[in-house]
Amino acid sequence: MKIIYHCYGGSHSSVMAAALHLGLIPKDRIPNENELMTIPYYDKTTKTDFGSIRFMGIDDFKNEVYVLGKKSMGDRYSRLLMGIAAILGHSDDVLVVNCMNRVNLAMKLGGFSSRRMGVVSLGRPVLVRGSQKAFLELVNLVEITRLRAMHMV
Amino acid sequence: MDIIFLGTTGVHHALVAAHIYLENLPDEKYYNLHNYANLALEAEGAPIYIGRDKPGNRVYSLGGGKDLKMAKKSIEDLTALLGYSSRDLLVQTITIPGDKLLAILCGIPPVLGGSLWSELIAAVLLKSQLPDIRQKLKTILMQQ
């Protein structure tokens, strides 16, 4: 199965969710800034990455995990991609997960300042605080997704 | 093969283009087309099946939102991830002047007259752009 986590920029909540899914960061404690910065693509993407489905890794059940930035398209983008998968006859092989409902205001403001405005020194500390605050919400999302991938939910 | 006509919305110019491609629109009465300006269907966001062309290809219309380049990139990436190419799923972008406005108007709730505004603007845009859409489709068919 191919699991695609998506958020506004494909740079923060989706890559954190993908990293949690793949075990790149521990789930049982809140990560510090250094640990967050070691996640591939975390606070590193540019506007040319919008729409690109980027590979993050393969989980312990051989599912391929990807991330995607889709601006403010919301759940509609999940349905768009699932529709394409259905046309190609692969609706059971793709799982598209919107991470935006787990994103808090600090992540939005920090992410906007760091990625969109390019003011990393101002945005990143706010972003990291927001990411730490949203961490357990993302752990919850990932656990639900892993169960969905195993067809248990 | 599957062909997707991708517009900012899937129920206005993209839907009209798909019907023109299938030779379902001999006159100018695009507003009578099945699912034209169906905002409930547009809100679902999934591809809308229109029909089959003469060689048997399935034809769809799809609303990709304001950033069509991004939507096209995601569709092509997913197609490649699933082991297919543009020979299996062809995405044909359909743009007309003012089409981003249509996507924005589709987001207005019905209680605020969302459908009324989008129908009004779509009528103004499509009436003037219909010959251009037909011309674009002729070019596409010639390229095929």
Side-chain angles (χ1 to χ4, degrees), chain A residues 48 51 53 71 76-77 79, chain B residues 42 44 63 67 73-74 77:
Chain A
T48 57
I53 301 176
K71 297 187 178 173
R76 184 194 166 87
Y77 221 65
R79 296 192 288 271
Chain B
E42 176 62 22
E44 283 179 24
D67 193 338
K73 197 197 280 185
S74 297
D77 277 6

Side-chain angles (χ1 to χ4, degrees), chain A residues 83-91, chain B residues 2 58 78-79 82 84 88-89:
Chain A
I84 298 297
I87 285 174
L88 294 168
H90 288 271
S91 23
Chain B
D2 297 295
R58 288 178 298 186
L78 181 63
T79 305
L82 293 171
Y84 297 92
D88 306 297
L89 182 91

Side-chain angles (χ1 to χ4, degrees), chain B residues 2-142:
Chain B
D2 297 295
I3 302 171
I4 292 181
F5 286 92
L6 178 69
T8 51
T9 73
V11 294
H12 296 110
H13 49 301
L15 181 125
V16 170
H19 278 287
I20 293 172
Y21 172 76
L22 292 174
E23 298 174 9
N24 287 344
L25 188 65
D27 50 26
E28 306 294 291
K29 293 176 182 170
Y30 58 85
Y31 41 82
N32 287 335
L33 291 171
H34 182 54
N35 283 326
Y36 174 76
N38 183 342
L39 295 193
L41 195 62
E42 176 62 22
E44 283 179 24
I48 301 161
Y49 179 69
I50 306 294
R52 280 184 188 267
D53 65 8
K54 280 172 189 162
N57 302 314
R58 288 178 298 186
V59 177
Y60 299 82
S61 72
L62 174 63
K66 286 177 280 176
D67 193 338
L68 282 187
K69 204 175 153 189
M70 177 183 82
K72 191 176 183 202
K73 197 197 280 185
S74 297
I75 294 168
E76 286 173 348
D77 277 6
L78 181 63
T79 305
L81 286 181
L82 293 171
Y84 297 92
S85 71
S86 58
R87 275 176 287 178
D88 306 297
L89 182 91
L90 180 69
V91 182
Q92 187 62 58
T93 307
I94 300 292
T95 56
I96 57 169
D99 56 1
K100 285 187 182 175
L101 184 62
L102 279 177
I104 294 165
L105 291 173
C106 283
I108 298 176
V111 286
L112 297 175
S115 56
L116 184 73
W117 284 110
S118 71
E119 265 193 60
L120 193 71
I121 299 295
V124 171
L125 292 176
L126 280 171
K127 199 176 175 185
S128 61
Q129 294 300 316
L130 209 54
D132 268 8
I133 296 173
R134 286 189 193 278
Q135 189 56 46
K136 276 179 197 167
L137 285 166
K138 267 186 195 166
T139 314
I140 293 165
L141 284 169
M142 279 167 69

